[in-house]
Amino acid sequence: MTMTYGTIGIIGAMQEEIELVLARLEDRQTEKHAGIVYHRGSFQGKKVVLTRSGVGKVNAAVCTQVMIDRYGADAIIFTGVAGAVDPQLDIGDIVISTSSLQHDVDVTALGFPRGTIPYQEVSEYPADARLIALAAEAGQKVFPDRSHTGKVLSGDQFIADRAVVKALYEQLGGACTEMEGASVAQVCYMNDVPHVIIRSMSDKADGSAHVNFAEFTIEAANRSYAIVEEMIKAI
Protein backbone atom coordinates (compact mmCIF):
# COMPACT_ATOMS: atom_id res chain seq x y z
CA MET A 1 0.00 0.00 0.00
CA THR A 2 1.56 3.29 -1.11
CA MET A 3 0.42 6.68 0.11
CA THR A 4 2.03 10.08 -0.18
CA TYR A 5 1.66 12.87 2.34
CA GLY A 6 3.50 16.19 2.46
CA THR A 7 3.77 16.39 6.25
CA ILE A 8 2.66 13.73 8.72
CA GLY A 9 1.63 14.94 12.17
CA ILE A 10 2.41 12.63 15.10
CA ILE A 11 0.87 13.46 18.48
CA GLY A 12 1.19 11.89 21.90
CA ALA A 13 -0.29 13.23 25.13
CA MET A 14 2.69 12.37 27.35
CA GLN A 15 6.44 12.55 26.87
CA GLU A 16 6.76 8.77 27.07
CA GLU A 17 4.46 8.52 24.06
CA ILE A 18 6.66 10.59 21.75
CA GLU A 19 10.13 9.98 23.19
CA LEU A 20 11.16 7.20 20.82
CA VAL A 21 10.19 9.16 17.71
CA LEU A 22 11.85 12.28 19.09
CA ALA A 23 15.11 10.40 19.65
CA ARG A 24 15.14 9.35 15.99
CA LEU A 25 14.01 12.64 14.45
CA GLU A 26 16.61 13.95 11.98
CA ASP A 27 17.23 17.61 11.10
CA ARG A 28 15.12 18.60 14.08
CA GLN A 29 13.81 22.13 14.46
CA THR A 30 11.85 23.02 17.58
CA GLU A 31 9.25 25.77 17.95
CA LYS A 32 6.61 26.70 20.50
CA HIS A 33 3.06 27.82 19.76
CA ALA A 34 0.19 28.29 22.22
CA GLY A 35 2.35 26.82 24.96
CA ILE A 36 2.99 23.56 23.08
CA VAL A 37 6.39 22.54 21.69
CA TYR A 38 6.53 21.24 18.11
CA HIS A 39 9.42 19.34 16.56
CA ARG A 40 9.83 19.38 12.79
CA GLY A 41 12.17 17.01 11.01
CA SER A 42 12.58 13.77 9.12
CA PHE A 43 11.56 10.34 10.43
CA GLN A 44 12.08 7.20 8.36
CA GLY A 45 12.78 9.51 5.45
CA LYS A 46 9.39 11.28 5.73
CA LYS A 47 8.65 14.88 6.68
CA VAL A 48 6.96 14.93 10.09
CA VAL A 49 5.92 17.30 12.83
CA LEU A 50 5.88 15.75 16.29
CA THR A 51 4.45 17.05 19.54
CA ARG A 52 3.40 16.25 23.08
CA SER A 53 -0.05 17.78 23.26
CA GLY A 54 -0.52 17.48 27.01
CA VAL A 55 -3.36 15.58 28.65
CA GLY A 56 -7.01 16.24 27.87
CA LYS A 57 -9.28 17.11 24.99
CA VAL A 58 -8.65 20.86 24.87
CA ASN A 59 -4.87 20.46 24.73
CA ALA A 60 -5.21 17.85 22.00
CA ALA A 61 -7.62 19.96 19.94
CA VAL A 62 -5.45 23.09 20.11
CA CYS A 63 -2.39 21.04 19.19
CA THR A 64 -4.12 19.45 16.20
CA GLN A 65 -5.33 22.76 14.79
CA VAL A 66 -1.85 24.29 15.11
CA MET A 67 -0.36 21.27 13.33
CA ILE A 68 -2.77 21.73 10.44
CA ASP A 69 -2.58 25.54 10.19
CA ARG A 70 1.09 26.22 10.90
CA TYR A 71 2.75 23.04 9.74
CA GLY A 72 0.47 21.90 6.94
CA ALA A 73 -0.05 18.42 8.38
CA ASP A 74 -2.10 16.50 5.83
CA ALA A 75 -2.37 13.31 7.88
CA ILE A 76 -2.33 12.93 11.67
CA ILE A 77 -1.48 9.90 13.79
CA PHE A 78 -2.28 9.98 17.50
CA THR A 79 -0.26 7.48 19.48
CA GLY A 80 -0.16 6.45 23.10
CA VAL A 81 -1.78 4.42 25.86
CA ALA A 82 -5.36 3.74 26.90
CA GLY A 83 -7.51 1.75 29.26
CA ALA A 84 -9.18 -1.35 27.84
CA VAL A 85 -12.99 -1.30 27.83
CA ASP A 86 -13.68 -4.36 25.68
CA PRO A 87 -13.32 -7.32 28.07
CA GLN A 88 -11.57 -9.30 25.33
CA LEU A 89 -8.59 -6.91 25.40
CA ASP A 90 -5.52 -7.53 27.53
CA ILE A 91 -2.81 -5.20 28.74
CA GLY A 92 -0.37 -4.73 25.86
CA ASP A 93 -2.98 -5.19 23.14
CA ILE A 94 -3.23 -2.52 20.45
CA VAL A 95 -6.42 -0.74 19.37
CA ILE A 96 -6.49 1.00 16.00
CA SER A 97 -9.42 3.39 15.78
CA THR A 98 -12.22 2.80 13.31
CA SER A 99 -13.97 5.80 14.84
CA SER A 100 -13.97 7.84 18.04
CA LEU A 101 -16.56 9.44 20.29
CA GLN A 102 -16.50 11.79 23.29
CA HIS A 103 -18.11 9.72 26.03
CA ASP A 104 -18.29 12.64 28.46
CA VAL A 105 -20.59 14.66 26.20
CA ASP A 106 -23.91 14.04 27.92
CA VAL A 107 -27.01 15.98 26.86
CA THR A 108 -29.37 13.10 27.49
CA ALA A 109 -31.53 15.41 29.63
CA LEU A 110 -32.55 17.15 26.39
CA GLY A 111 -33.17 13.92 24.54
CA PHE A 112 -29.82 13.53 22.79
CA PRO A 113 -28.10 10.12 22.90
CA ARG A 114 -25.01 10.00 25.09
CA GLY A 115 -21.92 11.11 23.19
CA THR A 116 -23.95 13.24 20.76
CA ILE A 117 -22.88 16.87 20.36
CA PRO A 118 -26.14 18.81 19.97
CA TYR A 119 -26.93 20.38 16.60
CA GLN A 120 -23.97 18.81 14.80
CA GLU A 121 -24.38 16.35 11.98
CA VAL A 122 -21.51 14.16 13.18
CA SER A 123 -20.46 13.25 16.72
CA GLU A 124 -18.67 9.97 16.01
CA TYR A 125 -15.66 10.65 13.84
CA PRO A 126 -14.46 7.96 11.42
CA ALA A 127 -10.74 7.32 11.07
CA ASP A 128 -9.24 7.26 7.59
CA ALA A 129 -9.66 3.87 5.90
CA ARG A 130 -6.20 3.93 4.31
CA LEU A 131 -4.48 4.82 7.58
CA ILE A 132 -6.48 2.14 9.41
CA ALA A 133 -5.35 -0.45 6.86
CA LEU A 134 -1.75 0.71 7.09
CA ALA A 135 -1.82 0.57 10.91
CA ALA A 136 -3.45 -2.87 10.88
CA GLU A 137 -0.83 -4.17 8.47
CA ALA A 138 1.93 -2.75 10.69
CA GLY A 139 0.29 -4.21 13.78
CA GLN A 140 0.13 -7.70 12.31
CA LYS A 141 3.78 -7.43 11.34
CA VAL A 142 5.03 -6.20 14.71
CA PHE A 143 2.55 -7.77 17.17
CA PRO A 144 0.72 -10.65 15.47
CA ASP A 145 -2.72 -11.32 16.97
CA ARG A 146 -2.40 -8.45 19.46
CA SER A 147 -3.67 -5.66 17.19
CA HIS A 148 -7.39 -4.93 16.94
CA THR A 149 -9.62 -2.30 15.37
CA GLY A 150 -12.41 -0.62 17.30
CA LYS A 151 -14.09 2.49 18.61
CA VAL A 152 -11.99 4.78 20.81
CA LEU A 153 -13.84 6.65 23.55
CA SER A 154 -12.44 9.92 24.87
CA GLY A 155 -13.27 12.07 27.87
CA ASP A 156 -11.64 14.35 30.39
CA GLN A 157 -11.72 11.60 32.99
CA PHE A 158 -9.35 8.83 34.02
CA ILE A 159 -11.73 5.88 34.17
CA ALA A 160 -11.14 3.52 37.09
CA ASP A 161 -14.55 2.06 37.87
CA ARG A 162 -15.75 -1.34 36.67
CA ALA A 163 -19.37 -0.20 36.41
CA VAL A 164 -18.39 2.75 34.23
CA VAL A 165 -16.26 0.48 32.06
CA LYS A 166 -19.22 -1.87 31.63
CA ALA A 167 -21.46 1.03 30.59
CA LEU A 168 -18.90 2.39 28.11
CA TYR A 169 -18.70 -1.02 26.50
CA GLU A 170 -22.39 -1.90 26.51
CA GLN A 171 -23.90 1.54 25.80
CA LEU A 172 -21.29 3.06 23.50
CA GLY A 173 -19.52 0.01 22.06
CA GLY A 174 -16.08 1.24 23.02
CA ALA A 175 -12.93 -0.80 22.68
CA CYS A 176 -10.85 1.48 24.90
CA THR A 177 -10.99 4.78 26.72
CA GLU A 178 -8.51 7.67 26.91
CA MET A 179 -8.50 11.45 27.17
CA GLU A 180 -7.63 12.95 23.77
CA GLY A 181 -8.31 10.95 20.62
CA ALA A 182 -11.87 12.00 19.76
CA SER A 183 -10.99 15.69 20.01
CA VAL A 184 -8.10 15.14 17.59
CA ALA A 185 -10.54 13.29 15.35
CA GLN A 186 -13.10 16.11 15.52
CA VAL A 187 -10.55 18.75 14.51
CA CYS A 188 -9.32 16.54 11.68
CA TYR A 189 -12.89 16.00 10.52
CA MET A 190 -13.59 19.75 10.57
CA ASN A 191 -10.46 20.35 8.48
CA ASP A 192 -10.89 17.36 6.15
CA VAL A 193 -7.55 15.88 7.25
CA PRO A 194 -7.21 12.08 7.51
CA HIS A 195 -6.30 10.64 10.90
CA VAL A 196 -6.00 7.45 12.88
CA ILE A 197 -5.59 6.77 16.61
CA ILE A 198 -3.27 3.99 17.78
CA ARG A 199 -3.56 3.04 21.44
CA SER A 200 -1.77 0.37 23.42
CA MET A 201 -3.56 -0.91 26.51
CA SER A 202 -1.73 0.08 29.70
CA ASP A 203 -4.54 -0.93 32.07
CA LYS A 204 -8.10 -2.24 32.14
CA ALA A 205 -9.72 1.01 33.35
CA ASP A 206 -11.16 -0.97 36.26
CA GLY A 207 -9.59 0.45 39.40
CA SER A 208 -6.39 -1.56 39.18
CA ALA A 209 -4.57 1.21 37.29
CA HIS A 210 -2.65 2.32 40.37
CA VAL A 211 -1.00 -1.09 40.29
CA ASN A 212 -0.24 -1.41 36.59
CA PHE A 213 -0.48 2.00 34.88
CA ALA A 214 3.03 3.22 35.68
CA GLU A 215 4.52 -0.22 35.11
CA PHE A 216 2.94 -0.74 31.72
CA THR A 217 2.89 2.83 30.36
CA ILE A 218 6.44 2.63 29.05
CA GLU A 219 5.89 -0.83 27.55
CA ALA A 220 2.59 0.26 26.01
CA ALA A 221 4.11 3.44 24.59
CA ASN A 222 6.90 1.36 23.05
CA ARG A 223 4.33 -0.88 21.38
CA SER A 224 2.49 2.10 19.90
CA TYR A 225 5.79 3.50 18.68
CA ALA A 226 6.67 0.22 16.92
CA ILE A 227 3.46 0.40 14.89
CA VAL A 228 3.92 4.09 14.05
CA GLU A 229 7.46 3.35 12.89
CA GLU A 230 6.25 0.58 10.57
CA MET A 231 3.46 2.80 9.26
CA ILE A 232 5.80 5.67 8.43
CA LYS A 233 8.18 3.30 6.67
CA ALA A 234 5.31 2.11 4.48
CA ILE A 235 4.03 5.59 3.58
Side-chain angles (χ1 to χ4, degrees), residues 84 157 218:
Q157 304 162 359
I218 300 296

Side-chain angles (χ1 to χ4, degrees), residues 55-136:
V55 174
K57 294 192 300 180
V58 174
N59 280 329
V62 169
C63 167
T64 304
Q65 192 65 56
V66 170
M67 272 196 166
I68 294 167
D69 287 345
R70 284 188 173 264
Y71 298 103
D74 50 13
I76 289 180
I77 301 169
F78 198 102
T79 177
V81 303
V85 169
D86 185 334
Q88 301 299 315
L89 292 173
D90 289 321
I91 291 171
D93 282 358
I94 303 290
V95 171
I96 297 158
S97 68
T98 50
S99 66
S100 55
L101 179 76
Q102 297 175 58
H103 68 76
D104 60 348
V105 173
D106 188 346
V107 196
T108 53
L110 296 182
F112 294 92
R114 182 178 177 183
T116 298
I117 302 170
Y119 318 119
Q120 286 195 182
E121 290 184 6
V122 175
S123 295
E124 182 174 332
Y125 302 99
D128 180 72
R130 294 172 300 170
L131 292 176
I132 294 169
L134 200 61

Side-chain angles (χ1 to χ4, degrees), residues 11-13 33-36 38 51-67 78 156 179-181 183-184 187:
I11 306 173
H33 299 289
I36 298 172
Y38 297 83
T51 191
R52 176 180 66 84
S53 65
V55 174
K57 294 192 300 180
V58 174
N59 280 329
V62 169
C63 167
T64 304
Q65 192 65 56
V66 170
M67 272 196 166
F78 198 102
D156 284 321
M179 299 177 68
E180 296 87 20
S183 60
V184 172
V187 174

